[in-house]
Amino acid sequence: MCGIVSYTGHSQAAPILLDGLSKLEYRGYDSAGLAVRNGENKTRIVKAKGRLKALAEKTDNGHALAGTCGIGHTRWATHGEPSETNAHPHTSDNGNVVGVHNGIIENYQELKNKLLRKGYEFYSSTDTEVAVKLIDYYYKKYEHTPVDAINHAMVRIRGSYALAIMFQDYPGEIYVARKDSPMIIGVENGDCYVASDVPAILKYTRNVYYIGNLEMARLANGTVTFYNLDGDEIEKKPTQIKWDAEAAEKAGYEHFMLKEIHEQPKAVQDTLNSVLKDGAIDLSSVGLTEEELQSFSQVYIVACGSAYHVGVACQYVLEDLAQLPVRVDLASEFRYRSMPLDPNGLVIVISQSGETADSLAALRLAKKKGLKTLGIVNVVGSSIAREADNVFYTLAGPEIAVATTKAYSTQLIAGYCLAVQFALVRGCISKGRYQDLISQLQCLPEQIQKILDDKERIQWFAAKQANARDVFFIGRGLDYAISLEGSLKMKEISYIHSEAYAAGELKHGTISLIEDGTLVIGVLTQSELYEKTISNMVECKSRGAYLMGLTTYGNYNIEDTASFTVYVPKTEECFATSLAVIPLQLMGYYVSVAKGLDVDKPRNLAKSVTVE
Ligand code: F6R
């Protein structure tokens, strides 16, 4: 949510900032802006409403803005409508302090009132302008010392922020500060970079520093100096990023989403390989011992959106294989419910970005209550990865499309590996069954590839659904978990209303929405529930629904009921989500393409939801 890029060094800043912002556009795309300064000259600010393209045109791809030091921003509006005035960077009245911000300042009204009383005037409706002017106020009060000005402002600000600031008196220098919003700093050959996320600067450097919560940094002359809230210098070591720069490019695909869908066999394989040693699951890199796995009496899974759907699927798998009670919660609900938590419980927080505000808050709550925490996270060094007691890294690589696909698939793999290992050490499965489950897991990448090789049928069917008004996804048990994700993929990028329903629940109200021609997609990968779901599909058909079935090869009698069927290879039934979700991702993608929509950047959404 909102992307920040900053640069100070030997090259022209604006083209680097625009290039970095283009990699962060998934974080927000309602407006964008740059502030660049050339030596002692005054800072020049250019902003544009709409996609980054508008800003690039306005600045001749950055060439119209000379200067080697600058800050840039792409916005996802929180306070104030998307407009050029509300776009960042924001500036103090005399242009003394210029800044960009990601996050939400909760007490901005109180701070604004204070500044109004001190004679400040405001031109925008943003909380960022308040932050910039607050820093300006302390800057004037504390003898023009940027670090003191920023730390005094940090003490007053409530909420979350990643801030990048330039001061007119300090040419060539950028100051940054952060609390609960992501930010990394890169250094290479005397140049310094700041970004909200790794892909923005991957082309320029792999040496990054993670700036901690309530810390600040000064970037100047190719070096970074870190400070704590008291303004004292602190030491930090850089980390090497292993992602390659090509991973953040489209590589010939029309959209990042399609590319990422096709990367799933490799992402799944890599994640699996990271914990497979000599034919067994080895969780030593995760840091969980056998004794710990035996000791937990309850698992809580907490996440948002698709990561929550992974949690729902893993609940079935953990309960089934390891006979362990599991409770799955939306992070935004978990954090505000005062429920008793089992002190022997393990709290698993699933998050691609590792920065989702509600998931991070849920993790902190669980830690505060003394429970052991495990993050299943994709972005190395992200807040959840750093704060959880243990981390299972998914190896999906950078995920750029707003709608998740490969991160979702790798999160499932992490969940399966935990479930299988839990099951073995708790004596719920034999060694033979354990080996069998692992062999089935190892077949998944090839099976996913097989589904992708046959995507034309789904493309053809999806193109015919572009005018659908409502789509219902129904299934029981794990098939319900699959339906949840299929439905989200459909609605978030095609804007077609869709709902996922536990198939048995439909007749308790929702079936009244079924009309002539309503598309109902039945998911049937669980043999015990197959006939029951078929019956529910028939109930819909009797009321006019048009049926699609999604099942495994062999279940050909579904064609007696459904008008169109997609088959996926057979696997261990508890791993079926990994295969059945692929056609549903493709469905969502191709419907969106058929409607001519911006697949990678759906309206109103942003990747990495760093506000509550
Ligand atoms: C949907 C999607 C979102 C995310 C959710 C959590 O396609 O991508 O629902 O799954 O915002 O994000 P992370 O995993 O970064 O915590």
Side-chain angles (χ1 to χ4, degrees):
M1 273 195 171
C2 297
I4 290 179
V5 183
S6 307
Y7 169 81
T8 178
H10 301 100
S11 305
Q12 286 300 302
I16 294 175
L17 299 178
L18 282 173
D19 178 54
L21 290 176
S22 73
K23 305 286 183 329
L24 294 185
E25 230 191 337
Y26 62 83
R27 300 180 66 88
Y29 29 84
D30 59 47
S31 54
L34 300 178
V36 176
R37 69 182 300 186
N38 206 3
E40 301 284 333
N41 293 344
K42 213 165 168 63
T43 305
R44 282 184 62 201
I45 299 176
V46 183
K47 310 188 207 184
K49 186 179 170 207
R51 298 288 163 93
L52 191 61
K53 209 160 75 114
L55 182 66
E57 276 164 14
K58 217 167 166 178
T59 59
D60 185 20
N61 288 319
H63 300 302
L65 273 179
T68 55
C69 178
I71 56 182
H73 189 268
T74 176
R75 181 167 186 250
W76 187 88
T78 55
H79 292 76
E81 55 169 23
S83 68
E84 197 167 307
T85 310
N86 287 333
H88 304 207
H90 286 286
T91 174
S92 63
D93 298 341
N94 51 6
N96 206 24
V97 182
V98 180
V100 290
H101 164 228
N102 168 23
I104 282 198
I105 295 170
E106 286 164 4
N107 58 337
Y108 84 104
Q109 195 57 54
E110 169 199 325
L111 297 172
K112 190 171 179 174
N113 293 342
K114 169 191 159 96
L115 291 166
L116 284 167
R117 284 196 299 276
K118 303 277 176 201
Y120 279 86
E121 286 173 9
F122 290 86
Y123 56 83
S124 77
S125 339
T126 65
D127 51 349
T128 306
E129 189 190 349
V130 176
V132 167
K133 290 186 173 168
L134 187 70
I135 292 170
D136 180 69
Y137 168 76
Y138 286 120
Y139 184 68
K140 286 174 181 148
K141 190 166 174 187
Y142 292 102
E143 298 172 348
H144 292 210
T145 317
V147 169
D148 281 342
I150 296 172
N151 67 8
H152 278 85
M154 286 166 84
V155 170
R156 293 299 305 267
I157 290 173
R158 280 201 311 274
S160 61
Y161 50 83
L163 284 162
I165 309 280
M166 293 193 296
F167 293 84
Q168 183 58 31
D169 301 333
Y170 293 82
E173 300 191 9
I174 295 172
Y175 291 81
V176 299
R178 105 168 248 274
K179 177 177 172 272
D180 292 342
S181 283
M183 178 180 266
I184 53 161
I185 297 172
V187 180
E188 193 80 45
N189 297 328
D191 294 339
C192 297
Y193 305 82
V194 178
S196 303
D197 204 352
V198 175
I201 57 173
L202 206 50
K203 196 160 131 189
Y204 309 102
T205 181
R206 280 155 190 280
N207 300 315
V208 304
Y209 293 93
Y210 294 106
I211 172 166
N213 246 349
L214 293 172
E215 288 177 356
M216 289 165 281
R218 169 180 172 264
L219 287 68
N221 306 319
T223 54
V224 190
T225 316
F226 291 92
Y227 303 90
N228 63 18
L229 199 53
D230 296 327
D232 299 329
E233 280 191 29
I234 48 176
E235 283 293 318
K236 275 189 192 287
K237 285 199 171 40
T239 306
Q240 271 281 118
I241 298 291
K242 298 209 173 75
W243 290 354
D244 55 37
E246 292 73 50
E249 306 289 340
K250 275 194 209 151
Y253 285 93
E254 202 181 332
H255 298 103
F256 276 111
M257 183 174 176
L258 190 61
K259 174 182 175 243
E260 289 161 8
I261 287 175
H262 280 87
E263 285 173 343
Q264 290 180 108
K266 180 173 182 320
V268 163
Q269 184 78 68
D270 289 350
T271 305
L272 203 50
N273 287 350
S274 73
V275 290
L276 277 187
K277 279 200 191 87
D278 305 325
I281 293 168
D282 177 353
L283 294 178
S284 54
S285 60
V286 178
L288 282 175
T289 63
E290 286 202 359
E291 293 70 43
E292 279 176 315
L293 292 184
Q294 277 157 356
S295 72
F296 297 122
S297 44
Q298 168 81 44
V299 170
Y300 301 97
I301 304 180
V302 192
C304 300
S306 293
Y308 167 77
H309 299 159
V310 170
V312 177
C314 290
Q315 175 185 35
Y316 289 107
V317 183
L318 268 159
E319 286 176 349
D320 177 22
L321 293 180
Q323 293 299 300
L324 197 61
V326 181
R327 193 187 161 115
V328 196
D329 269 290
L330 291 164
S332 53
E333 291 295 311
F334 178 86
R335 59 182 293 197
Y336 293 117
R337 238 192 14 249
S338 63
M339 58 171 175
L341 294 175
D342 179 345
N344 277 330
L346 170 68
V347 177
I348 303 179
V349 179
I350 308 176
S351 175
Q352 186 284 128
S353 61
E355 301 290 350
T356 300
D358 285 317
S359 305
L360 181 58
L363 171 81
R364 288 179 180 161
L365 179 76
K367 284 185 77 173
K368 201 164 140 205
K369 292 200 169 183
L371 275 81
K372 178 96 173 163
T373 56
L374 165 69
I376 296 180
V377 179
N378 195 44
V379 177
V380 175
S382 55
S383 300
I384 293 175
R386 277 182 290 156
E387 293 187 30
D389 298 320
N390 298 82
V391 189
F392 191 138
Y393 277 114
T394 52
L395 301 186
E399 192 177 63
I400 310 292
V402 166
T404 182
T405 52
K406 60 175 180 169
Y408 169 92
S409 285
T410 55
Q411 289 162 352
L412 280 176
I413 296 298
Y416 298 159
C417 290
L418 287 169
V420 171
Q421 200 61 11
F422 262 117
L424 181 77
V425 303
R426 296 167 75 91
C428 300
I429 54 172
S430 66
K431 200 76 195 161
R433 170 100 170 112
Y434 179 72
Q435 292 306 341
D436 197 39
L437 287 168
I438 290 177
S439 310
Q440 295 286 336
L441 283 174
Q442 286 172 313
C443 293
L444 289 176
E446 207 183 308
Q447 292 174 317
I448 295 172
Q449 188 58 54
K450 193 159 179 264
I451 301 168
L452 292 173
D453 292 343
D454 198 21
K455 62 177 189 285
E456 274 72 23
R457 269 191 88 233
I458 298 163
Q459 182 173 7
W460 168 82
F461 182 74
K464 297 204 308 182
Q465 310 310 319
N467 295 323
R469 203 184 61 184
D470 308 288
V471 182
F472 292 85
F473 292 74
I474 62 170
R476 289 166 179 257
L478 257 183
D479 291 332
Y480 170 54
I482 299 166
S483 300
L484 285 170
E485 181 59 6
S487 169
L488 182 60
K489 286 285 96 68
M490 175 65 78
K491 70 183 126 198
E492 67 179 329
I493 51 173
S494 75
Y495 315 151
I496 293 175
H497 165 249
S498 74
E499 284 190 43
Y501 252 80
E505 184 63 17
L506 209 62
K507 58 172 107 34
H508 296 284
T510 308
I511 202 163
S512 65
L513 294 172
I514 305 293
E515 294 175 353
D516 260 358
T518 306
L519 176 62
V520 174
I521 301 178
V523 184
L524 311 100
T525 66
Q526 306 295 300
S527 47
E528 255 190 38
L529 304 167
Y530 180 81
E531 286 185 349
K532 303 232 174 273
T533 304
I534 289 270
S535 302
N536 298 133
M537 290 170 71
V538 171
E539 287 159 11
C540 295
K541 192 174 181 175
S542 312
R543 284 150 184 88
Y546 177 70
L547 297 183
M548 167 180 152
L550 172 57
T551 187
T552 45
Y553 285 107
N555 290 331
Y556 302 119
N557 65 355
I558 191 167
E559 292 183 21
D560 299 340
T561 308
S563 303
F564 178 76
T565 306
V566 174
Y567 296 99
V568 295
K570 269 202 185 338
T571 177
E572 189 65 43
E573 286 192 356
C574 60
F575 304 147
T577 314
S578 290
L579 302 182
V581 78
I582 309 293
L584 299 183
Q585 294 171 343
L586 290 165
M587 272 278 286
Y589 172 78
Y590 283 121
V591 172
S592 177
V593 170
K595 291 184 75 170
L597 299 172
D598 191 344
V599 180
D600 286 336
K601 299 186 192 90
R603 70 183 178 207
N604 304 338
L605 293 178
K607 209 165 179 74
S608 193
V609 184
T610 50
V611 294
E612 273 194 55

